[in-house]
Amino acid sequence: MPIINHNSQPVLQSDEFSSLRPLVTKDHGAASLTIQEITIKPGMEGRLQTHPVDVAFMMLEGSIQMIIGNEVRTVRSGNTLLAPPGTPYKLINNTWVPARLLMIFPSTQLERKLLE
């Protein structure tokens, strides 16, 4: 069983997020789990999308607005956002500070269908 030092994992730039740090992946030995630390910079808006699996976003710092289905919800640190399979969602950081969260899904590769 590996112990993964989060600080030694590379921080990657992403088109959709300000930065992404893979914490648990198939490269670490996971067979069906991915956990990524994501930072969403102020003003960043993701794209409306769906996934065939559950996707959970655990808020660590800041707040994020999530459009999920027909609802718009503002979620702050200490809460978890859940996008069930097939549910359209979008993340928006409409604040002046970065939002940091964990993205968790039960797969080593996240399939996504863009809706916009």
Side-chain angles (χ1 to χ4, degrees), residues 66-85:
M66 183 178 197
I67 299 171
I68 184 160
N70 295 324
E71 283 186 76
V72 178
R73 306 283 305 265
T74 299
V75 182
R76 291 172 177 73
S77 61
N79 292 280
T80 298
L81 313 167
L82 176 63

